[in-house]
């Protein structure tokens, strides 16, 4: 079964195009490393909650937009191997994949406020497709 990496970030609204450019680079690397699908979603209807919400979770300001993204991998092993290439950049930049270089491809958002994690799907409903 597939494996999902999920991300929530706050992107300065003025940096929307820079975010798209950054995402196209990173998403291309994910695809090269075996991702089946990458989805980047610009917040459009993200309400304030009474107790918590997406904006509070990433400490978004009024000048930022919440972005929800996910990467679908064929399995956790493929995801783990891809993640090693990202971590490799921090551990040994001389031998790491240069496409992860934040100096060449700076993040147009504060990565310290990113929420991320890996998830094993429990239910995957695809109306119209046969299930087994």
């Amino acid at each position: 079964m597939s494996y999902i990496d999920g991300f929530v970030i706050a992107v300065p609204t003025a940096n929307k195009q820079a975010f798209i450019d950054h995402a196209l680079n990173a998403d291309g690397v994910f695809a090269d490393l075996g991702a089946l699908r990458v989805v980047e979603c610009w917040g459009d209807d993200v309400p304030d909650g009474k107790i918590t919400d997406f904006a509070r979770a990433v400490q978004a300001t009024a000048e930022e937009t919440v972005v929800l993204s996910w990467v679908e991998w064929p399995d956790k092993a493929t995801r783990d191997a891809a993640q090693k290439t990202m971590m490799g950049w921090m551990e040994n930049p001389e031998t790491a994949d240069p496409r992860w270089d934040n100096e060449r491809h700076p993040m147009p958002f504060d990565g310290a406020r990113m929420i991320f994690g890996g998830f094993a799907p429990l239910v995957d409903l695809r109306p119209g497709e046969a299930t087994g």
Side-chain angles (χ1 to χ4, degrees):
M1 181 174 265
S2 63
Y3 194 79
I4 307 295
D5 273 326
F7 308 88
V8 180
I9 57 176
V11 177
T13 303
N15 287 356
K16 185 175 183 179
Q17 187 58 53
F19 173 77
I20 292 168
D21 297 343
H22 176 78
L24 289 171
N25 176 70
D27 297 351
V29 179
F30 289 141
D32 288 349
L33 296 172
L36 301 174
R37 183 176 181 206
V38 182
V39 179
E40 307 282 359
C41 304
W42 192 257
D44 178 60
D45 184 11
V46 184
D48 292 337
K50 291 184 179 181
I51 297 174
T52 190
D53 55 48
F54 281 109
R56 278 187 242 179
V58 293
Q59 300 175 346
T61 68
E63 294 79 32
E64 294 176 317
T65 299
V66 174
V67 172
L68 170 68
S69 307
W70 68 90
V71 181
E72 180 180 359
W73 301 98
D75 51 49
K76 189 172 188 298
T78 303
R79 178 272 201 159
D80 289 349
Q83 226 180 24
K84 282 184 182 177
T85 72
M86 289 183 277
M87 295 302 127
W89 184 259
M90 292 185 290
E91 295 166 6
N92 192 358
E94 294 80 29
T95 61
D97 187 325
R99 296 175 296 178
W100 292 125
D101 181 359
N102 281 333
E103 289 185 20
R104 290 178 55 200
H105 305 284
M107 293 188 298
F109 55 88
D110 180 0
R113 292 185 286 144
M114 179 187 327
I115 297 172
F116 60 93
F119 301 85
L122 293 175
V123 176
D124 187 351
L125 175 65
R126 297 177 191 222
E129 290 186 17
T131 58

